[in-house]
């Protein structure tokens, strides 16, 4: 089953090892979609609103899916999630919280802030590959994503 349309996946994670693992897991899963990275919640918001170095739409294609870590510097994932889901221009972008936390408080708060799902990061590379395959199947093959509403 092929993806319905090319979707940019935007991952917000401050850990360079986690970003590298995600990139490798997507390659291992043969995921053809473009994966872009930001390193904290502030950079995520700048990317989505095309501010600063993201002003050119070619440098910041609207993501069809956001993978969001909760624990990041400057603006954490919770703050970024609240800001995205309260912005009419951004709130329909699906957000998957992908974090090391297993805390019930983080799970409940993420859903209350509008996260579409919550996944605890696997501890092994093989586990991450499996998560990427499931995310690909669910979000990019089965689910109907909202149409892009922001003009490029």
């Amino acid at each position: 089953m092929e993806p319905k349309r090319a979707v940019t996946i935007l991952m917000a994670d401050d850990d360079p090892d986690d970003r590298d693992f995600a990139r490798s897991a997507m390659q291992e899963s043969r995921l053809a979609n473009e994966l872009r990275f930001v390193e904290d919640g502030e950079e995520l918001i700048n990317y989505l609103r095309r501010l600063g170095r993201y002003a050119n739409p070619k440098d910041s294609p609207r993501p069809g899916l956001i993978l969001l870590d909760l624990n990041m510097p400057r603006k954490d994932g919770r703050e970024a999630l609240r800001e995205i889901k309260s912005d009419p221009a951004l709130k329909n972008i699906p957000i998957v919280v992908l974090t090391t936390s297993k805390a019930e408080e983080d799970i409940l708060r993420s859903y209350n802030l509008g996260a579409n799902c919550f996944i605890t990061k696997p501890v092994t590379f093989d586990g991450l590959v499996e998560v990427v395959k499931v995310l690909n199947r669910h979000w990019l093959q089965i689910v109907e994503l909202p149409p892009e509403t922001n003009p490029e």
Side-chain angles (χ1 to χ4, degrees):
M1 194 181 270
E2 292 299 315
K4 295 175 178 138
R5 62 181 165 98
V7 172
T8 298
I9 300 168
L10 181 60
M11 182 175 191
D13 197 313
D14 64 314
D15 187 318
D17 290 336
D18 285 350
R19 293 192 305 269
D20 287 342
F21 282 143
R23 182 180 295 112
S24 296
M26 294 214 171
Q27 290 169 347
E28 179 83 15
S29 302
R30 293 178 172 70
L31 193 64
N33 294 69
E34 182 179 16
L35 177 62
R36 291 178 173 253
F37 297 96
V38 292
E39 297 183 13
D40 59 49
E42 192 169 302
E43 193 178 351
L44 172 61
I45 298 300
N46 288 344
Y47 179 104
L48 293 172
R49 293 193 173 140
R50 295 196 170 123
L51 301 173
R53 67 183 181 137
Y54 299 109
N56 184 339
K58 290 181 181 163
D59 297 330
S60 58
R62 183 176 171 92
L65 182 66
I66 297 172
L67 304 178
L68 179 65
D69 187 22
L70 292 181
N71 302 310
M72 298 182 292
R74 296 201 305 166
K75 181 179 290 194
D76 73 15
R78 297 161 197 84
E79 295 169 299
L81 180 59
R82 177 185 297 110
E83 200 168 325
I84 293 164
K85 292 301 183 179
S86 65
D87 184 327
L90 303 174
K91 69 180 181 181
N92 68 348
I93 301 171
I95 297 179
V96 173
V97 172
L98 184 61
T99 188
T100 55
S101 176
K102 294 181 181 180
E104 189 173 291
E105 177 184 340
D106 281 335
I107 296 168
L108 289 170
R109 187 168 178 205
S110 294
Y111 281 116
N112 286 336
L113 290 172
N116 296 89
C117 71
F118 188 102
I119 299 172
T120 300
K121 285 180 188 172
V123 293
T124 66
F125 179 72
D126 287 343
L128 184 58
V129 168
E130 188 57 34
V131 165
V132 167
K133 286 179 181 177
V134 169
L135 285 172
N136 175 43
R137 181 156 171 76
H138 179 81
W139 288 105
L140 305 177
Q141 295 177 7
I142 296 172
V143 170
E144 293 291 341
L145 293 174
E148 190 172 310
T149 56
N150 276 3
E152 287 291 332

